[in-house]
Amino acid sequence: MVSKGMEVINRYVTIKAHIDGEPQDSDFELKVAALRLQVEPGSDDVIVKNLHVSIDPYQLNRMKSCSSSHKAINFAVAISPGMDIDAYGVGRVVVSGNQEFEEGDLVVGLISWGEYSVVKGGNMLRKLDPLGFPLSYHVGILGFSGLTAHGGLFQICKPNKGEKVFVSAASGSVGNLVGQYAKLFGCYVVGSAGSKQKVNLLKEKLGFDDAFNYKEETDLKSTLKRYFPDGIDIYFDNVGSEMLEAAVANMNPFGRVAVCGAISQYTDTGKRAAPDMLDIVYKRIRIQGFLAADLMNVYADFISMTRDYLNDGKIHVIEDISQGVESIPSAFIGLFRGDNVGKKIVKIADD
């Protein structure tokens, strides 16, 4: 039990140096610091006890010594060695100098990879109504992962019923939801994943029409031709590289590609996609990158639809939850080794 004014020990995770390849355990450090649970008079800061934090691949780009993402948006600014690492998550206010928040409020927004967060000005936080769902849902399916899947499909790709949809990294935090949304909308959906178990999950539990293990395929263009003999209308891209090239080669005229991520390139800058530009021109294919922050204008629609699907049991929640702040590095590293199934979350503390 913590109370205002007391001193607590805050454990938090930092990087030791910039990471320009695949992350390793040795890249991270668990630091310990004393934290007084009080704010200065007149301050509008908020101190939050962190409960659940999101573990996301894009953070690796922030940890690099140089990345084009650093100047693109505030969410992706560079992380310097030794500094706090902010991340999306859920927590409870323990001290507030901000009139918008009171002690005991549940909040969601940018907190940190630690046990406590000092949020300057309460920026990027909002009060959370759990809506009767577990708090972890608000980090994943009802958070940015869900918004990215929903908005990427419906706003970027604008599907029509009966269209053929391909999703890469389909068992991941975003991909599994894209496939489920597309199926519920009335599309034909095929996903790729990296193990037999993940493929079975897509087909047997999540309702994908078909799925394949890309590690067992030697010619991705031929593979996609086999699964989409009549071509692909929509490709939701989470990986980039050869998979994007193969999808473009198999797309129908006026196909749409939503580029959500390029995880293959995050750890190997040599793995860059080179789709056939003639295909893109003559088939009039539209390829669009996007960020969850672009989709806030449809947030209310996303929450309404997803809440209804959850209440009606029409959508499955796939979570992969580790316990304790000390598990953050291994949870993060596992994203790039294909260890996670569904949304990767670290539960920092019980509420």
Side-chain angles (χ1 to χ4, degrees):
M1 183 72 179
V2 297
S3 59
K4 184 176 180 180
M6 72 180 291
E7 185 175 274
V8 297
I9 297 300
N10 181 32
R11 296 186 300 161
Y12 61 101
V13 173
T14 67
I15 55 172
K16 297 178 181 178
H18 290 297
I19 305 172
D20 288 312
E22 185 171 329
Q24 308 292 330
D25 285 322
S26 58
D27 293 320
F28 299 92
E29 182 176 3
L30 182 64
K31 290 191 171 185
V32 178
L35 175 66
R36 179 73 62 182
L37 298 182
Q38 65 183 33
V39 297
E40 295 297 323
S43 167
D44 57 359
D45 294 347
V46 179
I47 301 178
V48 176
K49 180 183 179 182
N50 303 333
L51 301 176
H52 294 80
V53 292
S54 177
I55 307 297
D56 300 291
Y58 83 90
Q59 296 276 32
L60 184 60
N61 296 321
R62 301 181 63 201
M63 298 172 184
K64 294 178 180 179
S65 56
C66 181
S67 172
S68 60
S69 64
H70 292 171
K71 296 181 180 180
I73 190 170
N74 288 341
F75 285 112
V77 295
I79 295 170
S80 298
M83 70 180 285
D84 287 349
I85 298 173
D86 57 349
Y88 194 74
V90 170
R92 192 172 289 278
V93 174
V94 291
V95 181
S96 177
N98 190 308
Q99 62 182 5
E100 295 186 19
F101 302 99
E102 297 180 357
E103 180 181 343
D105 283 346
L106 273 174
V107 291
V108 63
L110 285 185
I111 52 176
S112 65
W113 278 9
E115 293 176 314
Y116 292 88
S117 301
V118 179
V119 184
K120 299 296 183 181
N123 291 329
M124 306 306 294
L125 284 182
R126 63 177 176 82
K127 290 183 181 181
L128 174 64
D129 176 359
L131 303 172
F133 298 116
L135 294 183
S136 60
Y137 283 23
H138 297 275
V139 180
I141 189 170
L142 295 172
F144 277 158
S145 295
L147 178 62
T148 299
H150 180 278
L153 178 66
F154 293 110
Q155 300 302 309
I156 305 299
C157 295
K158 301 185 184 303
N160 297 305
K161 292 184 188 301
E163 285 194 311
K164 294 169 283 296
V165 177
F166 173 48
V167 185
S168 58
S171 67
S173 63
V174 174
N176 89 83
L177 296 174
V178 173
Q180 292 187 78
Y181 284 130
K183 279 300 301 175
L184 288 165
F185 185 72
C187 295
Y188 178 84
V189 182
V190 175
S192 66
S195 72
K196 180 179 180 181
Q197 292 75 15
K198 291 178 180 179
V199 167
N200 289 340
L201 172 73
L202 297 178
K203 293 194 293 185
E204 296 171 9
K205 183 171 183 177
L206 302 188
F208 282 56
D209 292 287
D210 217 332
F212 64 90
N213 180 355
Y214 70 90
K215 293 179 181 178
E216 297 178 346
E217 303 294 337
T218 57
D219 182 346
L220 290 173
K221 291 181 181 179
S222 296
T223 299
L224 290 181
K225 180 65 176 177
R226 188 166 75 246
Y227 283 94
F228 294 97
D230 298 319
I232 299 168
D233 298 304
I234 290 171
Y235 172 42
F236 198 100
D237 185 19
N238 290 301
V239 301
S241 194
E242 299 95 339
M243 195 69 81
L244 175 58
E245 296 171 10
V248 166
N250 282 277
M251 294 203 79
N252 289 327
F254 302 102
R256 289 88 74 203
V257 179
V259 184
C260 174
I263 194 169
S264 65
Q265 191 177 320
Y266 294 175
T267 56
D268 183 354
T269 56
K271 296 195 74 170
R272 296 182 178 178
D276 189 328
M277 295 305 294
L278 288 180
D279 276 339
I280 294 170
V281 172
Y282 284 96
K283 291 196 283 188
R284 287 85 91 202
I285 296 169
R286 179 164 57 83
I287 301 177
Q288 182 175 341
F290 71 100
L291 300 171
D294 303 332
L295 304 168
M296 295 308 295
N297 62 315
V298 297
Y299 180 80
D301 292 338
F302 148 66
I303 288 292
S304 177
M305 175 187 284
T306 307
R307 180 176 56 193
D308 288 346
Y309 282 158
L310 286 169
N311 285 332
D312 294 342
K314 292 182 177 180
I315 198 165
H316 295 277
V317 179
I318 308 298
E319 296 178 323
D320 190 335
I321 301 179
S322 299
Q323 304 290 327
V325 66
E326 65 279 357
S327 72
I328 288 176
S330 60
F332 181 67
I333 292 164
L335 295 177
F336 303 93
R337 299 176 179 173
D339 292 348
N340 65 298
V341 179
K343 177 63 187 176
K344 188 64 194 179
I345 297 168
V346 170
K347 182 179 180 181
I348 303 295
D350 292 320
D351 187 19

